[in-house]
């Protein structure tokens, strides 16, 4: 059952301690009608030993890299009395350089095609502020990243959920049919998809773009975990002025706490974002930290191969236990056949492991960790499977 009032993480809005009045909640405030009854993003934050719930890179930043980042931040602090570079020119140059590895042969991508913000969530919010809003629609394909619909709601954009094919895939015909039916202003695709890990075929992106006059946004938060020979949506940018590819430093890049996300698109799209962004939205410290981290891209990404190995090991061992898994190109595994996901979540928590219960019946999602963390999780799952044998789930 959905509670009538929104739960705020740890802090009660209806605190009697505030002024002695009881049970004053946000429902009593003159809040926007379209926000009433909504729930905030709420992945539980629990500090247990094995945290495999929000798809972070669980390997810490290497010490020498951390040292270099700190010295860049120290330098930036000497001029922190001034506003930061509003155009974060150096960071955009660094990000454009970083993306070269994923471009097609002969393709160029310049800093004028890059935009960054405090996490890709903010990038997507700005995109919706510029191209969505009241009276406009965004088409998405659940189950997908929960923030996509939450950002739509926050910006007053109508979220239209469309159906996926079997195994959570989206064929070109499927995306085209949904676009023809709903005529959205914006299409949100997620490849690889969170929370399912499903690859997004490049043909599906091409077909979506050709079927709409609107914006097509591909969320590539997990691009670095894709097979090396799988083309990124970035390769489709030339000649597609309404295509936006969003990336983040929060996942493979081991930088979730720094809050840096970015997108690549035609410079005209970047100009549109400038109309809605807050001035100086990226602090000088964030810019300095991100530029320094990008100087060490190979070291920051060194663990990606290890993470995908642990992911594949999870798939193999969960299957052997009788759980159902799906093709995943990300750093996490969605698995089905869990008799009681809530009970399994709690049982894992008791063993110092946190995973994600997304409310998909009989399913849980787990992020690949270090070899040791993965072992702790798999051993705990074997005990749970012995207690509560896996059940069959529909295809
Ligand atoms: C984790 C995630 C993000 C990252 O958001 P940030 O704000 O950059 O931390 C974006 N999109 C998807 C699909 C994700 O899973």
């Amino acid at each position: 059952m959905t509670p009538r009032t929104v739960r705020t993480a740890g802090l009660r809005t209806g605190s009697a301690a505030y002024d002695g009045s009881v049970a004053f909640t946000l429902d009593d405030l003159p809040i926007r009608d379209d926000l009433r009854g909504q729930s905030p993003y709420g992945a539980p934050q629990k500090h247990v030993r094995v945290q495999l719930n929000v798809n972070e890179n669980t390997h810490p930043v290497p010490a020498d890299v951390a040292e270099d980042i700190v010295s860049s931040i120290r330098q930036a602090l000497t001029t922190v009395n001034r506003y930061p570079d509003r155009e974060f020119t150096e960071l955009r140059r660094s990000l454009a350089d970083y993306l070269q590895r994923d471009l097609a042969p002969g393709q160029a991508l310049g800093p004028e095609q890059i935009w960054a913000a405090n996490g890709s969530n903010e990038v997507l919010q700005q995109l919706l502020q510029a191209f969505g809003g009241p009276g406009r629609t965004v088409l998405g394909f659940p189950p997908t990243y929960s923030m996509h619909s939450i950002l739509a709601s926050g910006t007053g954009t109508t979220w239209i959920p469309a159906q996926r094919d079997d195994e959570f895939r989206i064929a070109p015909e499927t995306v085209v049919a949904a676009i023809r039916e709903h005529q959205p202003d914006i299409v949100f695709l997620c490849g690889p998809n969170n929370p399912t890990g499903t690859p997004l075929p490049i043909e599906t992106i091409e077909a979506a773009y050709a079927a709409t006059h609107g914006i097509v946004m591909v969320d590539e938060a997990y691009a670095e975990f894709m097979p090396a020979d799988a083309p990124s949506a970035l390769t489709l940018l030339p000649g597609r002025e309404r295509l936006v590819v969003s990336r983040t430093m929060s996942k493979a890049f081991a930088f979730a706490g720094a809050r840096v996300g970015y997108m690549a698109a035609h410079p005209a799209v970047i100009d549109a974002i400038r109309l809605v962004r807050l001035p100086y939205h990226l602090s000088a410290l964030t810019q300095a930290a991100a530029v320094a981290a990008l100087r060490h891209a190979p070291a920051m990404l060194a663990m990606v191969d290890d993470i995908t190995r642990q992911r594949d090991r999870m798939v193999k061992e969960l299957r052997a236990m009788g759980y159902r898994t799906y093709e995943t190109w990300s750093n996490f595994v969605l698995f089905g056949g869990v008799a009681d996901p809530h009970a399994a979540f709690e049982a894992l928590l008791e063993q110092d492991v946190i995973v994600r219960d997304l409310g998909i019946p009989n399913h849980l999602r787990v992020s690949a960790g270090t070899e040791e963390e993965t072992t702790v999780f798999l051993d705990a799952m074997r005990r749970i499977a012995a207690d509560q044998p896996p059940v069959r789930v529909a295809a």
Side-chain angles (χ1 to χ4, degrees):
M1 232 194 66
T2 323
R4 204 174 76 89
T5 51
V6 172
R7 277 174 288 119
T8 49
L11 302 163
R12 291 227 319 120
T13 43
S15 165
Y18 180 66
D19 63 357
S21 67
V22 272
F24 185 90
T25 75
L26 68 76
D27 283 341
D28 302 310
L29 289 168
I31 190 173
R32 272 164 42 191
D33 287 336
D34 60 330
L35 292 180
R36 283 185 197 280
Q38 302 266 3
S39 302
Y41 177 82
Q45 287 197 297
K46 289 195 199 297
H47 297 285
V48 301
R49 189 160 67 89
V50 180
Q51 296 179 35
L52 303 177
N53 62 333
V54 285
N55 303 339
E56 297 148 332
N57 184 336
T58 68
H59 300 76
V61 174
D64 55 327
V65 177
E67 261 318 302
D68 194 42
I69 297 172
V70 167
S71 73
S72 291
I73 295 174
R74 188 180 296 121
Q75 181 63 33
L77 260 174
T78 63
T79 54
V80 86
N81 56 312
R82 302 287 182 187
Y83 279 114
D85 176 5
R86 204 169 49 219
E87 290 294 319
F88 43 99
T89 314
E90 196 184 357
L91 175 56
R92 285 160 79 187
R93 220 177 278 127
S94 303
L95 289 167
D97 285 349
Y98 171 69
L99 291 180
Q100 299 302 313
R101 61 206 285 274
D102 288 342
L103 302 183
Q107 184 185 352
L109 184 78
E112 71 285 356
Q113 289 176 267
I114 303 289
W115 186 256
N118 299 281
S120 52
N121 282 329
E122 187 180 20
V123 172
L124 298 185
Q125 182 177 50
Q126 292 169 334
L127 192 76
L128 286 165
Q129 286 176 316
F131 296 100
R136 296 199 168 202
T137 57
V138 54
L139 180 74
F141 292 82
T144 192
Y145 185 42
S146 63
M147 278 309 297
H148 289 172
S149 54
I150 293 174
L151 291 167
S153 137
T155 57
T157 316
T158 301
W159 170 254
I160 303 177
Q163 281 283 325
R164 287 175 176 265
D165 304 319
D166 288 350
E167 304 251 323
F168 305 117
R169 293 175 203 284
I170 310 174
E173 310 79 69
T174 304
V175 83
V176 169
I179 289 171
R180 293 225 173 103
E181 182 184 348
H182 299 291
Q183 301 288 324
D185 298 287
I186 306 169
V187 180
F188 271 12
L189 299 170
C190 189
N193 185 54
N194 181 9
T196 61
T198 318
L200 178 68
I202 202 95
E203 296 78 14
T204 296
I205 306 167
E206 285 179 289
Y209 189 88
T212 178
H213 296 294
I215 296 286
V216 175
M217 189 287 296
V218 182
D219 186 335
E220 284 198 337
Y222 300 97
E224 289 91 346
F225 300 105
M226 296 185 350
D229 57 354
S232 157
L234 291 169
T235 61
L236 296 178
L237 283 175
R240 291 185 179 84
E241 297 81 5
R242 296 171 286 105
L243 178 64
V244 174
V245 183
S246 144
R247 294 279 188 108
T248 181
M249 293 178 74
S250 297
K251 304 289 159 61
F253 220 87
F255 223 47
R259 309 306 300 129
V260 185
Y262 53 103
M263 71 180 205
H266 190 278
V269 174
I270 311 296
D271 286 342
I273 301 296
R274 275 198 194 85
L275 301 175
V276 298
R277 65 90 173 272
L278 298 174
Y280 317 111
H281 67 288
L282 268 186
S283 88
L285 307 184
T286 302
Q287 294 184 37
V291 169
L294 286 159
R295 275 201 300 272
H296 298 277
M300 296 292 279
L301 296 173
M303 301 319 291
V304 164
D305 287 346
D306 188 52
I307 294 165
T308 53
R309 256 196 308 277
Q310 297 309 319
R311 170 199 71 194
D312 293 343
R313 178 182 160 217
M314 280 177 163
V315 168
K316 198 165 142 238
E317 297 193 25
L318 285 167
R319 285 180 92 96
M321 292 175 217
Y323 293 106
R324 170 162 194 188
T325 59
Y326 305 86
E327 183 174 20
T328 171
W329 278 11
S330 58
N331 65 339
F332 55 83
V333 177
L334 181 78
F335 59 102
V338 184
D340 181 346
H342 180 71
F345 176 91
E346 293 295 331
L348 285 165
L349 209 51
E350 264 168 41
Q351 300 177 58
D352 247 3
V353 181
I354 185 164
V355 299
R356 193 78 192 276
D357 178 3
L358 294 138
I360 304 177
N362 297 120
H363 286 71
L364 288 172
R365 190 196 67 193
V366 60
S367 319
T370 61
E371 183 174 6
E372 193 205 336
E373 290 166 331
T374 302
T375 301
V376 172
F377 162 74
L378 289 169
D379 288 349
M381 280 312 298
R382 264 183 281 273
R383 285 191 285 273
I384 289 167
D387 249 22
Q388 287 204 314
V391 296
R392 270 188 65 81
V393 284

